[in-house]
Amino acid sequence: MKKKKILTPKIIGKIIVAIIIIAAFIIIPLPGVVSRYMLKVYNDGLIYFIAALGLSVMLGMGGQVTYSTAGIMGVGAYITAILSTKYGWNTGLAIIVALIAGAIFSFVVGLALFRLKGSYFSFASIGLTNLLVTIFSNWMEMTEGPDGITRIPKLDVGFMKFTDFNSYFRLLFIIAIICYLFVLRLRKTSYGRALASVRDNEITAASFGVNCYMTKVYSFVIAGVFACLAGGLYAVHAGFISPEPFKYDQSAIYLIMIMLGGVDSTFGAFLGASLLTIIPEKMRWLNEYYKLIYGVGVIILMIFMPMGLMGIIDNFKYKMIGKIKKRKQSNAIETEAN
Amino acid sequence: MERVLLEVRDVNKAFGGVITAKNVDMKVMAGEIHGLIGPNGAGKTTLLNLISGIYEVDSGHIFFEGNEITNLPAHKRARLGLGRTFQSPRFMNRASIKDNLELGTDLRNQFTYIQSFFGKKGADFYSELEELMEIAGFTFDWNEHITSLPYGQQKLLEIVRAMLAHPTVILVDEPAAGLNKQEQERVSLLLRKAVDSGMGVVLIEHTMEMVMNICDNITVLNFGEVIAKGKPQEIATNPQVIEAYLGGENDA
């Protein structure tokens, strides 16, 4: 039952993944490797991945379906944009303030929303997003309404200024990896287990000392901070924000990202965010039929892959491991018999 | 003098017009397996739920190690040392065996989430787990999903998980239901191990042979009321209990 510390196929797999990640980090932003437009698409994908990671804590680990990701991402984006354009703050500092504000906002709202359970909570989160979008669209003096805020300065962290998509790619890549490792670590902690126990059975969770209500609130705070980080980065990367990308339907896309990738997997969030960012670009030739195909694809996904792509990979892995174990057992029996 | 770990005093609970606990009194001592028996619908599981804080009492008091816990939420009672298992095993079904067992050790360690995030380790529980699994009588690959285990092993593992949390009292709800003779024997050994290490056990069970063999004291419930209390031999010969429960079962 003790862990064996040897170079297992799992560890070899991890080394290969690490090499691919490092190669992508070095090669993609090199001049001439991808077009400027596709680099922007990749950058957007990384930003969506950060937001989706926060959602994976709530949905995958905690089983809480929320439609507030885009709305809270808007909070982060607007705070960053307002502080940097209207008050002349440094953009790096503005993002940090957005994160703190996002944490406080999510905590207070989470305390109220988690008085509700299950689908009631989900419906309330739709209300929250619509409420936020209404504020973004109508608080003219601060948000400039539907026209949005333009000329948001590029990210400046004092010793480094990010002016082109290449430098943003490197920055977003590093932030995304840090966020990814954070969530991966979270899964292995007592909080990760508490959240999973709340997801699977609240009575069992409480019987093992888990405060279900506060555990869910904390997951909302983590998702909120990730969303605000993604929002702040989105604002400085795009240089322009309007209420449009923070609407309810975008929240649904974040949910689909997690479902497509696999709710139980942190890497699934990356797969989902990548596919849902790149596929629309590759399907542009379908013009008006794009959304039709997209919708059908989502329905097929829910029917045939309820646990997402990583669910299929995991199932395959378990089957293979099972077969290997059986073979080893039968070999051992044969050896004994001989 | 025997130490009282858990005391239920004059507890009442009704769901609408259905009375499930009526003036219930019960004491559980350190190192004691206290049987809680009665016909189906007698209010046994309801009483466990009242003790563990899943339900709130309508009136009455519950004391744990001398302190009143009547108004504490379930998670705080668990942290004080009230462990429990369920009629049907309740695990994190999408998690590994390891994660499910660590839920028990998390309760024992009671580290803050931040301490756990930064890798604070509790006392090594491998040797303890190995000892318990030897009693439980099976081994497993703990990276496997919990659902890969057969039902009987899941029930045994649920007791092991509760014991890994080092509770003061374990509330065990029908641990032998659906198990074969051998597995029932393993359940008895695990519970005996728990009381030998100073815990108190409240055991709901319908397998009378097991109850009579391992319980030190028994409380009998019928329609939410305590109809008898005493040593197994006294209960076995109590005419009221025979009429309400034991006799009825034999007749059937």
Side-chain angles (χ1 to χ4, degrees):
Chain A
M1 274 171 276
K2 279 190 181 177
K3 267 188 174 177
K4 291 173 192 170
K5 287 187 178 174
I6 50 167
L7 202 63
T8 58
K10 205 174 176 182
I11 293 170
I12 295 168
K14 279 180 182 173
I15 293 169
I16 293 169
V17 169
I19 292 168
I20 293 170
I21 289 170
I22 293 166
F25 177 72
I26 295 168
I27 295 166
I28 290 175
L30 289 176
V33 176
V34 291
S35 68
R36 196 170 170 275
Y37 176 74
M38 278 315 287
L39 200 56
K40 183 191 174 296
V41 171
Y42 290 161
N43 286 349
D44 286 340
L46 287 169
I47 292 170
Y48 299 148
F49 170 52
I50 293 167
L53 268 176
L55 181 61
S56 82
V57 173
M58 271 199 79
L59 177 68
M61 290 165 70
Q64 308 300 317
V65 180
T66 177
Y67 290 89
S68 59
T69 308
I72 296 177
M73 192 172 157
V75 172
Y78 272 96
I79 290 174
T80 306
I82 290 167
L83 289 178
S84 56
T85 56
K86 296 200 183 297
Y87 297 96
W89 283 38
N90 168 285
T91 40
L93 189 62
I95 290 178
I96 291 169
V97 172
L99 293 189
I100 296 166
I104 296 168
F105 175 79
S106 303
F107 182 73
V108 174
V109 172
L111 284 176
L113 288 191
F114 280 112
R115 293 280 165 201
L116 305 167
K117 286 190 178 182
S119 46
Y120 296 101
F121 164 78
S122 301
F123 290 137
S125 72
I126 296 174
L128 173 68
T129 296
N130 287 338
L131 180 84
L132 289 169
V133 171
T134 307
I135 295 169
F136 302 152
S137 306
N138 293 288
W139 194 11
M140 297 301 288
E141 338 48 297
M142 281 293 168
T143 64
E144 310 287 341
D147 294 338
I149 300 173
T150 54
R151 292 182 189 167
I152 301 165
K154 292 293 174 193
L155 183 62
D156 180 359
V157 290
F159 59 92
M160 200 183 278
K161 199 166 182 180
F162 298 85
T163 50
D164 55 12
F165 289 146
N166 300 56
S167 57
Y168 267 110
F169 178 83
R170 291 201 177 94
L171 173 78
L172 292 169
F173 201 96
I174 291 169
I175 293 175
I177 285 180
I178 293 169
C179 292
Y180 177 77
L181 293 175
F182 175 87
V183 175
L184 219 52
R185 173 75 197 132
L186 207 61
R187 280 183 184 273
K188 305 283 178 197
T189 64
S190 61
Y191 178 70
R193 288 186 286 275
L195 202 49
S197 66
V198 169
R199 172 196 67 200
D200 287 348
N201 195 307
E202 289 201 16
I203 289 175
T204 312
S207 302
F208 279 87
V210 176
N211 182 341
C212 299
Y213 172 62
M214 288 313 292
T215 301
K216 288 189 278 187
V217 171
Y218 295 148
S219 76
F220 197 67
V221 172
I222 293 167
V225 170
F226 274 63
C228 280
L229 175 63
L233 291 168
Y234 179 90
V236 293
H237 177 256
F240 161 76
I241 55 166
S242 72
E244 203 57 35
F246 308 120
K247 286 185 173 170
Y248 152 76
D249 53 353
Q250 184 62 31
S251 284
I253 289 176
Y254 289 118
L255 279 174
I256 298 168
M257 284 177 184
I258 301 297
M259 308 283 263
L260 172 66
V263 283
D264 280 347
S265 161
T266 312
F267 187 70
F270 174 73
L271 275 183
S274 305
L275 289 173
L276 286 196
T277 311
I278 294 165
I279 286 175
E281 294 303 322
K282 301 291 179 194
M283 287 171 70
R284 282 197 184 279
W285 57 276
L286 286 166
N287 298 324
E288 65 269 32
Y289 297 108
Y290 150 65
K291 288 227 163 171
L292 178 74
I293 305 286
Y294 189 85
V296 171
V298 170
I299 292 169
I300 291 172
L301 161 76
M302 288 296 95
I303 294 171
F304 294 105
M305 298 193 293
M307 298 309 280
L309 292 168
M310 288 306 289
I312 291 177
I313 294 169
D314 282 344
N315 274 345
F316 178 73
K317 211 166 67 184
Y318 282 125
K319 276 183 189 167
M320 291 308 289
I321 290 169
K323 275 184 184 174
I324 292 166
K325 272 186 185 169
K326 269 187 187 171
R327 195 175 297 165
K328 275 184 183 171
Q329 277 172 355
S330 59
N331 285 348
I333 292 165
E334 270 178 34
T335 319
E336 261 181 41
N338 291 335
Chain B
M1 206 175 89
E2 284 183 311
R3 189 161 65 103
V4 179
L5 296 180
L6 178 71
E7 185 181 356
V8 175
R9 198 184 292 168
D10 203 18
V11 159
N12 290 281
K13 179 74 185 174
F15 294 98
V18 182
I19 295 167
T20 51
K22 191 176 176 189
N23 304 325
V24 175
D25 287 308
M26 188 173 79
K27 276 184 186 174
V28 180
M29 308 294 175
E32 174 195 30
I33 298 182
H34 194 111
L36 190 59
I37 63 170
N40 286 329
K44 305 181 294 294
T45 299
T46 301
L47 185 59
L48 285 206
N49 287 337
L50 291 169
I51 294 169
S52 60
I54 291 164
Y55 297 151
E56 287 178 20
V57 299
D58 291 342
S59 66
H61 305 273
I62 300 167
F63 295 90
F64 184 70
E65 294 193 291
N67 301 311
E68 179 150 19
I69 58 165
T70 318
N71 297 317
L72 285 184
H75 70 273
K76 286 194 176 167
R77 296 185 197 198
R79 286 180 196 173
L80 285 176
L82 254 178
R84 79 167 290 182
T85 71
F86 299 88
Q87 268 181 34
S88 301
R90 290 188 181 190
F91 287 107
M92 297 184 279
N93 284 335
R94 275 156 57 186
S96 65
I97 296 172
K98 181 173 185 278
D99 281 342
N100 274 288
L101 290 176
E102 282 184 338
L103 196 63
T105 54
D106 288 341
L107 177 59
R108 180 184 65 179
N109 293 328
Q110 300 208 8
F111 295 148
T112 63
Y113 293 146
I114 291 172
Q115 284 174 328
S116 172
F117 187 87
F118 288 105
K120 186 166 181 182
K121 295 251 183 285
D124 180 39
F125 72 97
Y126 289 94
S127 51
E128 188 185 348
L129 178 62
E130 274 181 18
E131 192 187 340
L132 291 173
M133 291 317 300
E134 207 167 302
I135 300 171
F138 66 97
T139 56
F140 51 80
D141 172 355
W142 74 355
N143 290 313
E144 294 257 338
H145 265 245
I146 190 76
T147 46
S148 67
L149 291 178
Y151 180 78
Q153 292 186 0
Q154 285 191 28
K155 290 210 83 166
L156 284 160
L157 203 64
E158 206 186 23
I159 300 172
V160 169
R161 179 177 67 168
M163 287 172 72
L164 284 174
H166 288 193
T168 312
V169 172
I170 312 185
L171 313 171
V172 189
D173 198 349
E174 296 194 28
L179 303 193
N180 60 35
K181 273 272 177 208
Q182 263 184 330
E183 288 166 337
Q184 286 181 12
E185 192 59 36
R186 300 286 182 182
V187 168
S188 300
L189 291 172
L190 280 172
L191 297 181
R192 188 43 69 190
K193 162 87 182 157
V195 290
D196 286 347
S197 54
M199 297 179 200
V201 171
V202 178
L203 170 70
I204 295 181
E205 190 47 67
H206 285 292
T207 313
M208 276 308 112
E209 191 188 337
M210 182 181 180
V211 172
M212 293 301 167
N213 281 338
I214 68 167
C215 288
D216 301 295
N217 285 294
I218 296 174
T219 297
V220 188
L221 285 178
N222 194 24
F223 295 112
E225 261 184 292
V226 176
I227 56 167
K229 280 180 188 180
K231 301 281 173 199
Q233 305 88 317
E234 295 162 10
I235 295 298
T237 51
N238 184 311
Q240 218 181 337
V241 178
I242 290 169
E243 192 191 330
Y245 183 48
L246 299 179
E249 193 174 61
N250 289 341
D251 294 343

